[in-house]
Amino acid sequence: MKKTLCFLLLILLSSCNVTHYFLHSTDNANGLDFTKGIWLIGDIEVDQNTKTKLTRFVMSDFSKYLGRRVRYSMSERKDLGTKPVPLKLDKAAILDLKKATDSDFYVNIKCKNAKNDFSSFEFQNHFYYKKQMTYAEVILEVYDLNKGEIIYSQAAGGCLEEELSITNQPTSVVIIGSYRKIINEIKKNSIKPKNHLPTYQEKKNLKSRL
């Protein structure tokens, strides 16, 4: 009985966060091939609380298909340095990234957020003005470091009506939700390994026992 009540409460609380999400497809949004190569997840530039949550989700999602072939760039700072990696890199910049990371693919994630101001967003036509709205956008790009090409680019945006929400972290809610919109598309359209691979968390647990 208690479990049923808790489940119903969670559904009720989730429904109180009134969010709207939009996916913006590009020419390079057909899915990914997770069967080959070493992948590096770039540092996500966002507030620390959201960064911790989002990085954990990203590493968990990608490691489900890549296992030990995925790494986190913050662990590779000795190679990358402290300079952030911008979006829409040209071929020369992507090949330079190859030299610095010694990886085959690089995942670059950027976040934007604002309150009642979405003039710089991809989704202006989707939003309508309402007081105390939190807007956020997530853009995810993947680079083939060997070919010097952007092989995947997808953006998702969302907004939350704060006066109808129970969360005290509206920006984090919308950013995580926007990322979920993208990763669900990736999961549907990508080529995945047939065998189970150890996830990022499983690898961490194994290291802690050694």
Side-chain angles (χ1 to χ4, degrees), residues 11-64:
I11 294 176
L12 178 61
L13 293 177
S14 298
S15 64
C16 291
N17 287 329
V18 182
T19 53
H20 311 276
Y21 295 107
F22 310 95
L23 195 65
H24 174 66
S25 296
T26 69
D27 294 336
N28 295 316
N30 296 321
L32 297 165
D33 184 353
F34 288 120
T35 62
K36 56 188 178 183
I38 302 298
W39 295 60
L40 188 65
I41 307 296
D43 185 30
I44 303 170
E45 298 169 37
V46 70
D47 68 272
Q48 190 58 49
N49 179 62
T50 305
K51 179 177 181 175
T52 300
K53 293 178 183 178
L54 185 54
T55 301
R56 186 169 64 245
F57 285 137
V58 172
M59 292 302 299
S60 175
D61 289 330
F62 277 81
S63 65
K64 285 177 184 176

Side-chain angles (χ1 to χ4, degrees), residues 93-147:
I94 295 175
L95 293 176
D96 284 342
L97 198 57
K98 167 69 177 181
K99 298 174 185 176
T101 63
D102 194 28
S103 300
D104 300 298
F105 301 94
Y106 186 91
V107 181
N108 196 9
I109 301 174
K110 301 296 183 187
C111 307
K112 295 180 185 177
N113 65 82
K115 284 191 179 183
N116 299 324
D117 178 13
F118 44 87
S119 58
S120 64
F121 284 45
E122 297 280 349
F123 299 91
Q124 296 180 43
N125 294 332
H126 290 286
F127 293 145
Y128 57 91
Y129 180 80
K130 188 177 180 70
K131 288 185 178 180
Q132 295 305 309
M133 292 284 281
T134 292
Y135 302 90
E137 180 180 75
V138 174
I139 301 172
L140 189 152
E141 291 184 347
V142 179
Y143 312 133
D144 184 325
L145 302 184
N146 297 308
K147 296 180 179 179

Side-chain angles (χ1 to χ4, degrees), residues 133-189:
M133 292 284 281
T134 292
Y135 302 90
E137 180 180 75
V138 174
I139 301 172
L140 189 152
E141 291 184 347
V142 179
Y143 312 133
D144 184 325
L145 302 184
N146 297 308
K147 296 180 179 179
E149 298 176 352
I150 300 175
I151 60 171
Y152 185 87
S153 180
Q154 183 72 279
C159 60
L160 182 147
E161 301 175 28
E162 291 185 24
E163 69 270 27
L164 299 179
S165 171
I166 60 168
T167 182
N168 60 356
Q169 298 175 338
T171 299
S172 183
V173 168
V174 181
I175 286 176
I176 298 296
S178 297
Y179 163 73
R180 282 287 170 216
K181 196 78 175 170
I182 295 175
I183 198 64
N184 287 339
E185 283 294 306
I186 290 176
K187 289 177 180 179
K188 284 192 299 184
N189 300 320

